[in-house]
Amino acid sequence: MSKKAILGHVFHAPVKGEFEHLVNACIEFDELGKISQVVTPDQHDYQSIVQKHQEQNTLTTLSDSQYLFPGLVDLHTHAPQWPQSGKGLDLPLFDWLNQYTFPLESKYKDADFRERFYPELVDTLIAHGTTTAMYFATIDNAASEYLAKVCKQKGQRALIGKVSMDEKSMCPDYYVEKSTEIALSDAEAFIQNIIAIDDKNGLVHPVVTPRFVPTCSTELLAGLGKLVQHYQCHVQTHASESDWARDFSHEKYQKTDVEIYHETQLLTRRTVLAHSIFLSESDKHTIKEVGAGIAHCPLSNMYFADAAFPLREAIDQDLHVGLGSDLSGGPIPSIFHACLDAVSHSRVREAGTNTHLMQNRGEPNTRVSFVEAFWMATHGGGLTLDLPIGVFQPGYLFDAIVVDTNAKHSQVRVYSDLDSPRDILEKIIVHTTEPAISSVWVNGNKVK
Amino acid sequence: MSKKAILGHVFHAPVKGEFEHLVNACIEFDELGKISQVVTPDQHDYQSIVQKHQEQNTLTTLSDSQYLFPGLVDLHTHAPQWPQSGKGLDLPLFDWLNQYTFPLESKYKDADFRERFYPELVDTLIAHGTTTAMYFATIDNAASEYLAKVCKQKGQRALIGKVSMDEKSMCPDYYVEKSTEIALSDAEAFIQNIIAIDDKNGLVHPVVTPRFVPTCSTELLAGLGKLVQHYQCHVQTHASESDWARDFSHEKYQKTDVEIYHETQLLTRRTVLAHSIFLSESDKHTIKEVGAGIAHCPLSNMYFADAAFPLREAIDQDLHVGLGSDLSGGPIPSIFHACLDAVSHSRVREAGTNTHLMQNRGEPNTRVSFVEAFWMATHGGGLTLDLPIGVFQPGYLFDAIVVDTNAKHSQVRVYSDLDSPRDILEKIIVHTTEPAISSVWVNGNKVK
């Protein structure tokens, strides 16, 4: 019964659109990382709980410059694209995929290459406070399973997909699955092997991952849907990322991406649709009914999406929605930065951009707040994944980070006489860089 | 004759839209910081110059993980707003000014308060590689002169304006100049005192700084114009930052901001107009004819500008244009980050945002490239200020930074087998954070 506890100042977002600031809260969790209680100084048993952990030497006490946050959830990131993060972004999407991305992803079949980059990526994301990441890997099973082993070894919660793409007319010949049959048997083998790697620890999860409609044959989508129903695992894919992607599906199937995924049984409570820029009202209704989720990737969208995701509406309609870095379509490996981008991008959407239009320039009342973005980065991400993470409450898992505003190279400046708790929260969201994240826990285990 | 030299890999942008990468270049500068020569290994006198500085112990040699860049130029930043950087950004501009900004700026008349924050700000900007900053200070002369002393003492090149604002109907009663006469005599005294502080070192410069049209009486603008003509000093102000600001000028004067500044003799070769979102064709013609410049502040614009500055057109029409952080309307004290924001904001403008529009959503061919943003951050900034900075060429001043991609907490990952010089440049622009900037020089003096 070796429970541990953390004592310190807490920010989290149990309710969408609001934040809770707890001063000197004590959070207790068990050996599996499950939170057993969260107590504050006004509660009658607070002193006895704190004292018990002090006596048992199981208490970690934070300083006044340190703030405890739920771990950040990255709902969409392409692990193999890490080495090119921050380059090629001047290119159009098609050239970026063919000149940079597909050649790079194909290299991971080489063990030396993946051993060079996957550990560095996972270390980087943990260092930036990402306690849970949903990864696209590559089409190569061995490489994708290696990524799962790296995440397990480093202690990051990870949902990992071997990428499925078999449509030879849409993929380069050096980076496409040999046949639909092989694609399906590889996808199933991957699921089984990840379940074996996880060994019931709940740290790494397999994800069925059709890249997107254009690169998948109709048979592949249908076959993957059957796997999802059989194994009840997560699904990730891209939906309506751009005008081109939307139009492709309409021309090939006379359907939207959401309709295609729904009909192939790929749309479930555990499906994460990246981007989803162009959704019909019917699509949104379907997503809500099923309980599927959306990974909003604002920085990537600025480069490649052709329009702004209607985030305000998604939040107001209670869709499951969280944030993704979309490495390397978005170059920054930080979900705090994704919060900043989500807010600023929503402001640009609200105002519009075209100075020649004196009216109807933007879309009024579509901004999102920093507090809403913070909710998406934590609690919203956990809800989207259907995992008990993202908020400090009994029954949830203790995935957490400490932002130390006094850490060397911290860019967060807090002035206690000038800054309210809301100010401090907003400053931390805006200014936290990697050096300010002094500790990271996943499942109650310290991983940074 | 104590010349010094730096030997290392260089990136700079002598020509707009292009970059130059010099391997093992040797840059020599004199005791005043003026560059005397830039030589590369293919030049016949390279070896003898390098050898001479080695023998004289006047050579600094960089490692292969270090890259030398021109110092970054921040054309628009509000020094007193530093303590609130990153907070209040959910508020509308009017509430943000009245609840946060004006109360904060008024505190700087208190010597303790300014001594607490101005040195921290200048240290922060230098640490982020800003070798030249154009500052709005406050209406208080003593506080604004103190900022100049801090910049001189810390060795940052600074153009500093005591803010002029006398229009009682538009300013809070606790933060407005007592009369137009006092405003003008204070502005003139400030110019004289900064010239005295500078003591012919060329490091700190006075700037005539009408806040913006709404807060200045007509007489104040006219009087400041006369001071500018007399002292031939720089000018900074806000122009057409929002629908409201544009409409205000039109209603009060039936003129654009540019027309108002031009008629009051405030528009000169050394004038920097912040934002300038809504410019008429005639305005742009006037700006170009006069040789005035524009400080583009993309992140601040996303929050407050109501539209996107037509940056593509400004670059193509050869207007003087550079980048500003606009602290704290923009919360990030980094001009590298402003480059990232300029590129992504231009992409959003090009594509448009409104998913309900299936055509005419954006403004085609208006993106700017990372290389263009880098030019703005360095050479373009220097041109805008009419100062010999921003590029490594004989006659220019040695203001420079070293980005060390191997520094502790550097987020820049360079892989020599995978990254071209263009890739390295883009990665450095996107990923450089404060810890990666290992050295900073201004006027040939090391200041970080």
Side-chain angles (χ1 to χ4, degrees), chain A residues 82-83 85-91 100 116-117 120 124 128 243 246 277-278 302-303 306-308 310 331-332 337 340 343-345 347-349 351-356 358 361 363 367 369-370 409 411 413 415 417-419 423 426-427 430-431 434-435, chain B residues 82-83 85-91 100 116-117 120 124 128 243 246 277-278 302-303 306-308 310 331-332 337 340 343-345 347-349 351-356 358 361 363 367 369-370 409 411 413 415 417-419 423 426-427 430-431 434-435:
Chain A
W82 170 240
S85 162
K87 74 187 204 187
L89 289 166
D90 278 341
L91 295 176
Y100 280 86
R116 179 176 172 199
F117 289 113
E120 179 185 305
T124 301
H128 282 83
D243 287 318
R246 180 201 60 225
I277 308 299
F278 301 98
M302 294 188 213
Y303 294 112
D306 296 335
I332 308 286
H337 201 282
L340 174 70
V343 171
S344 53
H345 195 28
R347 298 283 278 264
V348 175
R349 180 188 175 217
T353 56
N354 191 331
T355 52
H356 303 295
M358 284 299 119
R361 192 188 296 143
E363 297 173 84
R367 68 176 59 189
S369 71
F370 280 97
H409 292 299
Q411 304 302 327
R413 307 271 183 272
Y415 311 109
D417 55 332
L418 300 174
D419 294 330
D423 294 335
E426 190 177 334
K427 282 184 162 189
V430 170
H431 289 298
E434 183 273 321
Chain B
W82 169 242
S85 162
K87 73 188 206 187
L89 290 166
D90 278 342
L91 295 175
Y100 279 85
R116 179 177 172 198
F117 288 113
E120 179 185 305
T124 301
H128 282 82
D243 287 318
R246 179 201 61 225
I277 307 298
F278 301 97
M302 293 188 213
Y303 294 113
D306 295 334
I332 309 285
H337 201 283
L340 174 69
V343 170
S344 53
H345 196 26
R347 297 284 278 265
V348 175
R349 179 189 176 218
T353 56
N354 191 332
T355 52
H356 303 296
M358 283 299 118
R361 192 189 295 145
E363 297 175 83
R367 66 176 60 188
S369 71
F370 280 96
H409 291 300
Q411 303 303 327
R413 306 271 182 274
Y415 312 109
D417 55 332
L418 299 175
D419 294 331
D423 294 335
E426 191 178 334
K427 281 184 162 189
V430 170
H431 289 298
E434 182 271 323

Side-chain angles (χ1 to χ4, degrees), chain B residues 16-32:
Chain B
K16 185 172 61 176
E18 300 175 18
F19 73 94
E20 194 170 71
H21 177 55
L22 307 174
V23 176
N24 286 320
C26 182
I27 302 177
E28 182 190 70
F29 51 90
D30 67 20
E31 65 275 21
L32 297 173

Side-chain angles (χ1 to χ4, degrees), chain A residues 186-203:
Chain A
D186 278 1
E188 183 160 17
F190 177 78
I191 295 169
Q192 293 170 341
N193 290 342
I194 298 300
I195 292 170
I197 288 169
D198 186 57
D199 196 22
K200 296 184 185 164
N201 288 307
L203 204 62

Side-chain angles (χ1 to χ4, degrees), chain B residues 308-326:
Chain B
F309 170 61
L311 176 58
R312 177 73 268 151
E313 294 86 328
I315 291 174
D316 289 343
Q317 293 167 14
D318 279 324
L319 302 188
H320 295 142
V321 60
L323 291 169
S325 63
D326 195 17

Side-chain angles (χ1 to χ4, degrees), chain B residues 36 208 332 355 379 383:
Chain B
S36 43
V208 166
I332 309 285
T355 52
H379 198 179
L383 281 169

